[in-house]
């Protein structure tokens, strides 16, 4: 018999670490962790299996189908926005073809065990594209169906995969004589910039905030690649984990949409610097804007409206700006760096 599990792709990444920790300690299914890199030993111990492999490897995915009964997929594997700009074709392969592979795997799993397979997909504020700063300021807290005109390959990938998920959930094989629901229950969250106290991001354009914080905590200098006034929404990593777990647990009939914004706090790069220099006086923060990456950040909303998430599945962040910095980041980073 195949063991009932949840599958987490990109499990060794920032969100992956938090999810493996959560489900490894208190999930009712085993955890199969998949990543290109070997899992950290501490997390490996929490997994039924941790597999080092590629979501583009069809043979590997077939092995997963033969060995496990997958009831939910948290598909985190992706190339983030900056890295995707340097290799747009690879980004499309990983972010889109990889997601298509996992949607097909979910559909086949559901056919085998006869239950729906929940598919949790981390989309992003990168799916939005504001044309200029004046419009960004005027737009205020953007709703899900506004300004979906991404400027990056990563944002295009995320927006298209949202649509792929809707297709699999509602319109899969609609012309087939033996048409049947795919069994894929796709649910997506458009995450803001995420800040973890214990992992470092890589390849994201919102990484300036966590990079600044961690550099200062190490007593190092940091040249921020956006100007002080650059403003986007951010979220403490524990809230990102909470939102995925909460959306996954919501009854399908409560969800009036497949893609949700979640908001925690909106902050400028200058405000991050102000907090950082107070918390870690040895850090030396300067601002050296890199125009192409500034243009990407300027195209993302200053804030998002998350009323639908609050209405449909009771979303509410635990960490507002003050709590995120003073109760999560500061103590956790200090112990992380033994400050
Ligand atoms: C990135 O910067 O690419 C990501 C994101 C905002 O989705 N952190």
């Amino acid at each position: 018999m195949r063991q009932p599990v949840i599958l987490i792709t990109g499990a060794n990444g920032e969100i992956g670490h938090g999810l493996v920790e959560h489900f490894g300690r208190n999930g009712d299914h085993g955890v199969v962790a998949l990543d290109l890199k070997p899992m950290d030993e501490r997390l490996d111990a929490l997994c039924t299996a941790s597999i080092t492999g590629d979501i583009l490897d069809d043979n590997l995915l077939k092995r997963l189908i033969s060995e496990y009964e997958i009831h939910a997929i948290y598909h985190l594997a992706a190339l983030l926005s900056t890295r995707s700009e340097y290799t747009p074709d690879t980004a499309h392969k990983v972010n889109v073809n990889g997601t298509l592979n996992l949607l097909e795997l979910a559909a086949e799993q559901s056919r085998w065990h006869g239950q729906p397979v929940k598919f949790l997909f981390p989309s992003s504020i990168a799916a939005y594209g504001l044309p200029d700063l004046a419009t960004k300021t005027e737009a205020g807290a953007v709703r899900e169906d506004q300004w979906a005109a991404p400027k990056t390959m990563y944002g295009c990938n995320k927006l298209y995969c949202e649509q792929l998920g809707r297709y699999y959930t509602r319109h899969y094989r609609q012309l087939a004589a033996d048409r049947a629901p795919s069994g894929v229950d796709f649910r997506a969250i458009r995450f803001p910039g995420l800040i973890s106290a214990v992992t470092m991001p890589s390849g994201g354009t919102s990484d300036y905030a966590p990079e600044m914080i961690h550099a200062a905590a190490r007593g190092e200098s940091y040249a921020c690649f956006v100007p002080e006034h650059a403003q986007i929404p951010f979220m403490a990593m524990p809230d990102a984990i909470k939102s995925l777990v909460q959306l996954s647990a919501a009854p399908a009939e409560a969800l009036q949409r497949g893609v949700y914004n979640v908001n925690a706090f909106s902050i400028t790069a200058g405000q991050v610097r102000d907090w950082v220099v107070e918390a870690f006086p040895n850090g030396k923060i300067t601002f050296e804007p890199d125009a192409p990456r500034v243009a990407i950040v300027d195209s993302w909303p200053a804030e998002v409206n998350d009323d639908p998430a609050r209405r449909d599945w009771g979303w509410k962040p635990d960490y507002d700006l003050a709590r995120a910095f003073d109760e999560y980041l500061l103590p956790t980073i200090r112990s992380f760096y033994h400050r």
Side-chain angles (χ1 to χ4, degrees):
M1 289 296 284
R2 300 179 305 163
Q3 184 177 349
V5 296
I6 66 169
L7 171 64
I8 301 175
T9 73
N12 214 20
E14 287 209 279
I15 303 175
H17 271 229
L19 276 181
V20 168
E21 190 93 41
H22 173 85
F23 286 116
R25 297 193 190 287
N26 48 31
D28 50 8
H29 289 330
V31 173
V32 172
L34 172 60
D35 199 289
L36 279 175
K37 299 184 190 119
M39 281 303 284
D40 292 357
E41 275 178 26
R42 186 177 55 82
L43 294 176
D44 188 36
L46 298 173
C47 298
T48 300
S50 57
I51 299 167
T52 303
D54 190 332
I55 59 174
L56 298 174
D57 178 348
D58 289 337
N59 290 326
L60 171 61
L61 299 181
K62 285 186 172 52
R63 183 188 134 204
L64 291 177
I65 290 173
S66 67
E67 293 182 11
Y68 301 101
E69 186 180 283
I70 297 170
H71 288 264
I73 297 175
Y74 292 78
H75 175 42
L76 312 174
L79 266 57
L80 298 186
S81 55
T82 292
R83 189 162 165 219
S84 294
E85 287 308 301
Y86 289 111
T87 55
D89 51 343
T90 303
H92 183 93
K93 288 189 186 98
V94 172
N95 295 342
V96 176
N97 296 356
T99 300
L100 186 62
N101 285 353
L102 271 300
L103 285 165
E104 273 300 323
L105 183 149
E108 186 163 0
Q109 279 280 342
S110 183
R111 284 193 292 274
W112 277 107
H113 58 59
Q115 302 293 318
V117 174
K118 286 180 185 169
F119 195 107
L120 277 294
F121 182 74
S123 185
S124 162
I125 54 171
Y128 295 110
L130 282 296
D132 51 59
L133 273 182
T135 307
K136 173 171 176 170
T137 306
E138 177 69 24
V142 169
R143 293 180 177 278
E144 286 88 352
D145 300 325
Q146 295 177 308
W147 299 110
K151 285 183 71 166
T152 60
M153 171 57 91
Y154 169 77
C156 293
N157 298 159
K158 287 298 186 182
L159 192 61
Y160 174 58
C161 286
E162 290 174 8
Q163 298 304 313
L164 268 184
R166 191 164 60 86
Y167 168 79
Y168 269 76
T169 300
R170 300 187 192 176
H171 309 298
Y172 185 64
R173 297 176 72 247
Q174 58 197 294
L175 301 185
D178 60 346
R179 177 181 179 182
S182 69
V184 177
D185 179 358
F186 180 89
R187 305 176 181 199
I189 289 178
R190 284 188 185 155
F191 281 117
L194 300 180
I195 307 177
S196 167
V198 295
T199 57
M200 282 297 286
S202 64
T205 318
S206 68
D207 293 355
Y208 60 87
E211 286 173 351
M212 188 192 298
I213 293 166
H214 282 269
R218 294 192 298 264
E220 298 167 2
S221 60
Y222 180 74
C224 183
F225 57 80
V226 297
E228 294 193 44
H229 60 72
Q231 183 173 1
I232 57 173
F234 280 97
M235 176 177 284
M237 188 58 75
D239 269 337
I241 306 305
K242 170 185 164 182
S243 67
L244 283 169
V245 172
Q246 207 172 336
L247 176 56
S248 177
E253 57 273 15
L255 306 180
Q256 295 183 33
R257 54 180 313 115
V259 179
Y260 289 92
N261 283 337
V262 287
N263 201 48
F265 53 88
S266 174
I267 191 170
T268 66
Q271 288 173 298
V272 179
R273 184 273 322 277
D274 294 344
W275 180 85
V276 159
V277 295
E278 188 177 339
F280 306 108
N282 295 335
K284 300 165 192 62
I285 309 300
T286 57
F287 288 88
E288 297 175 22
D290 169 37
R293 284 198 282 176
V294 173
I296 290 175
V297 169
D298 286 351
S299 73
W300 294 348
E303 198 165 355
V304 293
N305 176 293
D306 61 3
D307 290 346
R310 292 170 186 259
R311 177 198 65 213
D312 291 1
W313 44 279
W315 162 248
K316 186 174 180 299
D318 290 333
Y319 293 93
D320 60 11
L321 176 59
R323 283 203 69 204
F325 281 88
D326 298 339
E327 294 182 33
Y328 166 61
L329 285 168
L330 187 56
T332 316
I333 284 183
R334 278 198 170 136
S335 62
F336 186 68
Y337 290 108
H338 311 302
R339 284 274 181 283

